[in-house]
Amino acid sequence: MDRLLSPKQVALAIGSSESSLKRWCDQGLLNTVRTAGGHRRIPVQEALRFVRERNLEVAEPLLLAMVPSTERKARRIENAAGQFVDALIADNEHACRALIMEHFQSGVSASRICDEIIAPAFHTLGEKWECHEVEIYEERSSCLTTLRLLNELREKLVPPTSSRFAMGATLEGDHYSIPATMAEIVLRSTGWNTRLLGCSIPAASLISAIEQHQPAVFWLSVSHITDTSRVVSEINQIFEVALKHRTAVVVGGRALSSEIRSKLRYSAFCDTMQHLAEFSTTLQQHAAAANPASPA
Ligand code: B12
């Protein structure tokens, strides 16, 4: 069960009055649930959404399960990837969390956090590993820390109310879980009900998953390819089945060179998580226009 807050608690957290809070709830600016006794309650993720979208200064961050903010100056996104990689190598999980969460709280989208903080930090980590400046254990432990933080970020998103379902994975032999997890979070942040199946899954099993669950979107993150013709054939088989179930196949990942892409069938290719967010928003808008009665 998500943590629920009273209008008074949220008012205290953002330095506002309880009556303003109740008015905003009644105007639908904040989604509420009612207790058995009929009192308004605000899910903590909903309060966080409200704060992020309005870029509000929060007086009592702990009340909203937020990390306390540093000065806005110290929070510049251009510096964040460098700060993040330093904190990862220093095994300072607390600093890593503060960086990610502060940007998120201040309204930076999950997709920008992925593209502009985490991905470049890992590109730097890869360069440092190549130059023997970081050990393999440091890289592996950085991956684990980042996956924990991505899961925390997922928990901070307003739970999806949409019935539209997206599923994704990586193909057998591809162990890159960070981009696959990012894609899930980005789709979730744009309102999709999502399920990340996992990494290194045989194509036949992914095909069964599509047949059984018939998601509207199936994403594949492709970061490592050992046998190009096998991967091309597997993706094309997945697309063939997806087509029958009206599932859009969205592919992305560092291993998908333009030469490989030219041999593939897919519904959309995205270079970045921000492209994925834009594609996903467009799909949601089409669905809402086609079926105005159902929740987008
Ligand atoms: C961490 C890491 C690993 C870890 C991953 C662990 C994990 N749990 O994920 C492990 C240990 C598995 C690993 C193994 C290997 N690795 Co490695 N790895 C990396 C490293 C440091 C970071 C990768 C990463 O997660 N990046 C962060 C992601 C988010 O960034 P990204 O891939 O650019 O993704 C962005 C876009 O592509 C896009 N995107 C990605 N996926 C998707 C999906 C969708 C749907 C969409 C829309 C968008 C999208 O959005 C992302 C965000 O902007 C890279 C360095 C680098 N430059 O990336 C090396 C790197 C990729 N690895 C490398 C190598 C050589 C290997 C191994 C072959 C080593 C070996 N000899 O065994 C193996 C192969 C593993 C396998 N079979 O899968 C080389 C590849 C060199 C090359 N020329 O291709 C690199 C570049 C390191 C280097 N500098 O040499 N690795």
Side-chain angles (χ1 to χ4, degrees):
M1 179 67 181
D2 298 324
R3 213 178 115 216
L4 297 174
L5 304 165
S6 65
K8 188 175 178 177
Q9 283 173 305
V10 178
L12 207 66
I14 64 175
S16 186
S17 71
E18 189 181 354
S19 58
S20 300
L21 249 293
K22 285 184 173 164
R23 194 175 61 251
W24 294 334
C25 292
D26 295 341
Q27 288 170 347
L29 298 177
L30 272 151
N31 289 323
T32 52
V33 291
R34 294 270 176 178
T35 62
H39 298 291
R40 300 172 192 84
R41 289 290 178 268
I42 303 160
V44 69
Q45 296 97 330
E46 177 61 12
L48 180 53
R49 179 196 62 78
F50 187 77
V51 166
R52 292 181 68 230
E53 286 181 4
R54 284 164 180 75
N55 201 7
L56 300 176
E57 283 295 332
V58 177
E60 296 288 344
L62 295 180
L63 273 176
L64 300 186
M66 291 168 71
V67 299
S69 288
T70 49
E71 274 178 70
R72 273 171 196 250
K73 234 180 17 197
R75 208 199 283 149
R76 289 168 62 91
I77 194 155
E78 308 83 74
N79 304 330
Q83 293 165 344
F84 190 64
V85 79
D86 289 346
L88 283 173
I89 294 169
D91 190 28
N92 187 345
E93 185 160 340
H94 176 76
C96 291
R97 176 174 297 102
L99 259 164
I100 300 296
M101 297 307 166
E102 276 188 39
H103 282 88
F104 182 68
Q105 286 163 195
S106 68
V108 177
S109 65
S111 57
R112 277 192 76 196
I113 290 176
C114 292
D115 286 337
E116 295 179 26
I117 304 180
I118 302 177
F122 273 86
H123 299 163
T124 306
L125 206 61
E127 284 158 23
K128 285 185 182 284
W129 169 75
E130 237 178 343
C131 303
H132 308 286
E133 288 173 30
V134 298
E135 289 285 341
I136 290 178
Y137 79 84
E138 292 175 305
E139 182 213 275
R140 301 287 153 88
S141 120
S142 299
C143 290
L144 292 178
T145 304
T146 303
L147 286 168
R148 278 196 293 277
L149 296 177
L150 284 171
N151 282 317
E152 286 177 30
L153 197 56
R154 186 183 189 276
E155 291 305 308
K156 302 240 175 235
L157 299 172
V158 176
T161 48
S162 166
S163 57
R164 292 177 60 75
F165 181 48
M167 242 169 40
T170 73
L171 285 168
E172 191 165 17
D174 183 334
H175 297 281
Y176 287 84
S177 52
I178 295 174
T181 305
M182 285 177 170
E184 192 209 2
I185 290 168
V186 166
L187 285 169
R188 222 174 161 78
S189 72
T190 49
W192 289 84
N193 199 346
T194 54
R195 181 171 176 193
L196 171 62
L197 301 176
C199 290
S200 193
I201 301 184
S205 182
L206 297 179
I207 287 174
S208 299
I210 294 173
E211 287 173 334
Q212 282 166 26
H213 300 283
Q214 307 189 2
V217 164
F218 186 81
W219 78 88
L220 263 182
S221 178
V222 189
S223 300
H224 179 74
I225 296 180
T226 32
D227 179 345
T228 304
S229 56
R230 175 178 68 85
V231 166
V232 167
S233 146
E234 288 177 348
I235 296 181
N236 289 345
Q237 282 171 46
I238 289 173
F239 179 77
E240 196 64 46
V241 174
L243 206 56
K244 287 193 198 130
H245 296 285
R246 297 200 209 161
T247 298
V249 177
V250 186
V251 297
R254 64 182 309 281
L256 289 182
S257 60
S258 47
E259 199 201 328
I260 293 179
R261 283 202 326 265
S262 69
K263 300 183 184 129
L264 290 182
R265 298 180 72 199
Y266 51 81
S267 317
F269 165 78
C270 300
D271 266 318
T272 64
M273 293 296 152
Q274 285 164 95
H275 290 159
L276 179 62
E278 279 152 16
F279 175 69
S280 139
T281 307
T282 313
L283 280 186
Q284 297 278 33
Q285 285 166 348
H286 279 292
N291 194 357
S294 71

